[in-house]
Amino acid sequence: NGQGAKQDYFKAVEWYSKAAEQGNADAQCSLGGCFMSGRGVKQDYVQAFEWFLKAVEQGNADAQYNLAFCYQHGR
């Protein structure tokens, strides 16, 4: 919750990317979600899958769910 701050998906992707590149599993999962939904970036299922997979490899449960969704829906 931004506590009244305006949502800025482009800025969110910027920060998620920095943390994800450093190996933060939560950021990797969130970045995958941005690619899946097309918020702050061009929608890209391949990128989403790759970021979810990186987070899954670290045991992130949310990423496991999202990766299963990708498989289920052929993404």
Side-chain angles (χ1 to χ4, degrees), residues 24-72:
N24 182 289
D26 290 332
Q28 291 168 341
C29 183
S30 295
L31 186 56
C34 290
F35 278 107
M36 181 69 88
S37 66
R39 290 185 172 168
V41 292
K42 182 179 177 186
Q43 191 173 45
D44 185 334
Y45 295 128
V46 172
Q47 284 289 317
F49 183 92
E50 290 177 5
W51 284 113
F52 291 147
L53 185 58
K54 287 176 190 255
V56 164
E57 290 171 349
Q58 296 184 73
N60 184 289
D62 291 330
Q64 291 172 354
Y65 174 85
N66 292 333
L67 194 63
F69 181 89
C70 291
Y71 277 118
Q72 181 181 9

Side-chain angles (χ1 to χ4, degrees), residues 2-3 6-8 12 16-17 21 33-34 51 57 62 75:
Q3 299 179 7
K6 184 179 176 185
Q7 289 183 335
D8 184 342
Y16 287 148
S17 295
E21 291 291 344
C34 290
W51 284 113
E57 290 171 349
D62 291 330
R75 306 235 161 92

